[in-house]
Amino acid sequence: LCTEVSVEGGFFVNIHESAEDYLEAILKLREDHGMVRSIDIVHELGFSKPSVSIAMRNLRENGYIHMDDDGYITLLPPGEEIAQRIYDRHKLLTQVFIQLGISPETAAADACRVEHDLSDETFEKIKAHAAGGKDNIRVCLKKQESSGITYERKARKAGTGVVKWSVWNTST
């Protein structure tokens, strides 16, 4: 399920994407319904009962969740932290993609794929950019040139009237 590598001051946990998806689903279901059982996860993710049962056992054995005698699932602090990080990424990326003009359904599906793979540095930059407001990027033009594709971007910092042009070449 996961591997731990010692790092100065603590541990770096490399958890599988599928485990992150289960933890995120538990968090989302808890927010939506209060209590979570394995069958709720089956319905949410569309997986078989045996698959969810095995995943819950692995998450429990690795200290990410607790399951009480009635089958109710609680996120333990390590599981809560991972679930919140992934769910926060999912919500923000979905909103950014929607603001770019992507349909909500496609935006949510793409966010699911991207949320696991972005570095913390890249996500923090996206988050900071998104905090600038939906009017931060006004125009994005693409034009073909013989050396490759050059993008021109006119960015307007929300509320300031400051305009900045950037041009870069992706053919390198």
Side-chain angles (χ1 to χ4, degrees):
L1 179 65
C2 70
T3 57
E4 293 184 356
V5 179
S6 181
V7 178
E8 277 186 53
F11 288 96
F12 169 78
V13 178
N14 181 15
I15 186 168
H16 290 279
E17 182 177 320
S18 61
E20 290 178 339
D21 285 337
Y22 280 110
L23 294 170
E24 179 185 16
I26 293 166
L27 178 66
K28 183 179 179 305
L29 287 164
R30 184 186 73 198
E31 285 185 0
D32 293 346
H33 306 292
M35 306 284 259
V36 181
R37 297 178 81 173
S38 292
I39 193 67
D40 302 320
I41 299 166
V42 167
H43 294 300
E44 176 75 13
L45 298 178
F47 295 155
S48 69
K49 289 179 187 179
S51 294
V52 171
S53 179
I54 290 168
M56 293 305 103
R57 184 189 72 221
N58 289 338
L59 290 171
R60 190 174 57 251
E61 288 174 355
N62 283 282
Y64 295 110
I65 65 168
H66 170 75
M67 190 176 294
D68 71 14
D69 293 337
D70 294 323
Y72 290 102
I73 299 166
T74 305
L75 290 167
L76 296 175
E80 179 84 30
E81 183 179 333
I82 292 166
Q84 194 63 60
R85 180 177 64 86
I86 295 300
Y87 193 43
D88 288 348
R89 284 174 171 230
H90 179 86
K91 291 187 296 187
L92 180 72
L93 291 168
T94 299
Q95 286 306 314
V96 167
F97 295 160
I98 289 169
Q99 288 175 359
L100 291 172
I102 299 167
S103 73
E105 298 80 18
T106 301
D110 287 348
C112 276
R113 287 188 284 278
V114 174
E115 66 196 16
H116 304 281
D117 296 324
L118 286 177
S119 69
D120 289 339
E121 177 186 7
T122 299
F123 180 72
E124 289 303 315
K125 295 295 183 183
I126 291 170
K127 190 163 103 176
H129 181 78
K134 66 182 180 183
D135 293 330
N136 201 24
I137 295 180
R138 289 289 215 204
V139 179
C140 182
L141 303 172
K142 177 173 66 172
K143 63 182 176 180
Q144 188 71 33
E145 293 192 346
S146 60
S147 63
I149 299 174
T150 299
Y151 293 86
E152 291 184 36
R153 182 179 65 193
K154 178 180 170 186
R156 180 183 312 274
K157 189 168 181 176
T160 65
V162 175
V163 176
K164 177 183 174 188
W165 282 89
S166 300
V167 179
W168 66 97
N169 192 314
T170 61
S171 64
T172 55

